[in-house]
Amino acid sequence: MLPASVLAIIQVANDSRFMRASMLEVINQDYIRTARAKGLKRRTVVLKHALRNALLPIITNVAINLPLLISGAIITETIFAGRVLGDSSLQPLAHKTIPCCRLC
């Protein structure tokens, strides 16, 4: 439980800052002002127009950070003596099992 929460806190903090910056950038775009001028509700403008366009960089950022999350899981589980991803990745390296090392 603790290793997962350590990894989640780091990722959530990074993604929330990135999401805020992305939303602030999208909110100032012309099509958002046009949607508000048409009389759409603020909730509709934010959820249907702004959020959809702000999520594109977030999804890219998550995909880029996925390998870092996996390597962080190995280090975190080594520190907390977990036996999930870290152990299954480090044991083949310790025994020099070439096919297993290529999969990691």
Side-chain angles (χ1 to χ4, degrees):
M1 181 71 182
L2 190 58
S5 63
V6 168
L7 292 170
I9 288 172
I10 293 170
Q11 192 67 26
V12 166
N14 186 24
D15 290 343
S16 64
R17 282 190 328 199
F18 199 70
M19 182 69 180
R20 181 182 185 277
S22 182
M23 278 296 285
L24 287 175
E25 183 179 332
V26 168
I27 287 292
N28 292 327
Q29 297 292 328
D30 291 336
Y31 61 90
I32 298 296
R33 281 185 285 226
T34 304
R36 288 294 293 154
K38 284 182 174 181
L40 293 175
K41 295 179 185 175
R42 179 174 168 78
R43 177 182 169 104
T44 304
V45 171
V46 170
L47 292 179
K48 297 229 178 192
H49 297 284
L51 187 61
R52 284 185 182 178
N53 289 308
L55 280 179
L56 294 174
I58 300 298
I59 293 169
T60 305
N61 190 27
V62 168
I64 290 171
N65 286 333
L66 194 60
L68 296 174
L69 184 65
I70 293 172
S71 64
I74 293 171
I75 294 169
T76 305
E77 287 175 7
T78 303
I79 292 171
F80 288 109
R83 299 284 182 227
V84 184
L85 181 63
D87 190 48
S88 64
S89 298
L90 292 177
Q91 286 300 326
L93 292 174
H95 298 299
K96 297 181 182 175
T97 310
I98 302 299
C100 291
C101 292
R102 288 185 187 155
L103 293 175
C104 299

